[in-house]
Amino acid sequence: MMNTARPPERRTELLAAGAASVTVVLWASAFVSIRSAGDAYSPGALALGRLLAGALTLGAICLVRREGLPPRSAWRGIAVSGVLWFGFYMVALNWGEQEVDAGTAALVVNIGPLLIALLGARFLGDRLPPRLLAGMAVSFAGAVTVGLSMSGGGGSSLLGVVLCLLAAVAYAGGVVAQKPALGRASALQVTTFGCLVGAVMCLPFAGQLIADAADAPVSATLNMVYLGVFPTALAFTTWAYALARTTAGRMGATTYAVPSLVVLMSWLALGEVPGILTLAGGALCLAGVAVSRSRARTGRSTAPENPEGSADPEAPGSPELSENPERSEKPELSEKPELSEPRPEEAEAPK
């Protein structure tokens, strides 16, 4: 029975990993597009235009799929993530990137995954396995290396650093608030209505958006639309899909692959040739992500003797497994002690 339960779980893990990969690639491309569109659009106008494009795209998908409204129990998490992540984060990040160089922005914003892990442990009960902590430490060191190698020297302001720091805090808070909502509503619902909440929050910038759009070059406007359709509508949906199937800390650690991809895309799209230190930092980021997403290998032969130890602490089904060993102890009262050994294998079947 244990063997028949593993393939579906493995398929879910692969789908979640694929969704996370799509998110990381599209979010990395967003940094390149923001640099182009940010020259023509103010921070608030760019955030509103991006969110409106994303909301229209997501709304059309919801109509085609006939998605209804999320249940009332999910609205709290949707509203909080919409205000913090879709709204405040995008404005603060756009503004902060205009006040500091790209390296400093990368350094400060990349404390976000660390905050996600800590907040997830505090408010969601997520565990912090040694591999996750070690991987995040390696990735953060890589992000620091990339940031130092890209810093322009004197191109940063205190305001810009504070804005990037606030963006990281809002990002972490939004992710932790979104996680419970994904247990009550679909990833598409949570993303669509979170995007709508963020767009409503940014409506005060509507006048600036209209003024900027009148003078902006077509390339900048197309970049803004791209930001809404792909890094927002598509990437936030794939993020929500993956987040619903793993812990917040583990998903946050995955985003440490973004700096290395930004370096590669800037090289290909903008002709910015990275230095040796930048490439080394990018390699560290990817190595840390690999470590944080890996799992400790446990022997199969020990699983029947200790079902609790065999359960993955990050697996979605692990809480149910913690109750099953009690049922596995009942055969000890049976008159046939030879039946007491196979029962723990049955305890793993729901997994």
Side-chain angles (χ1 to χ4, degrees), residues 187-263:
L188 182 58
Q189 288 175 324
V190 172
T191 305
T192 300
F193 289 94
C195 188
L196 283 173
V197 170
V200 171
M201 181 183 173
C202 293
L203 281 179
F205 301 106
Q208 188 65 52
L209 174 61
I210 295 173
D212 289 348
D215 299 327
V218 176
S219 60
T221 302
L222 290 177
N223 269 300
M224 182 178 66
V225 174
Y226 170 82
L227 286 169
V229 175
F230 293 98
T232 302
L234 178 57
F236 274 80
T237 302
T238 53
W239 163 276
Y241 175 88
L243 179 61
R245 290 157 177 80
T246 187
T247 63
R250 201 173 182 206
M251 278 300 295
T254 305
T255 62
Y256 273 125
V258 170
S260 58
L261 293 176
V262 170
V263 170

Side-chain angles (χ1 to χ4, degrees), residues 101-112 140-148 151:
D101 55 73
T104 303
L107 280 174
V108 179
V109 173
N110 272 297
I111 71 171
F140 185 72
V144 170
T145 303
V146 171
L148 292 175
S151 294

Side-chain angles (χ1 to χ4, degrees), residues 114 130-144 253 256 284 288 292:
L114 298 174
R131 284 174 178 262
L132 175 62
L133 295 176
M136 294 183 76
V138 172
S139 291
F140 185 72
V144 170
Y256 273 125
L284 276 177
S292 65

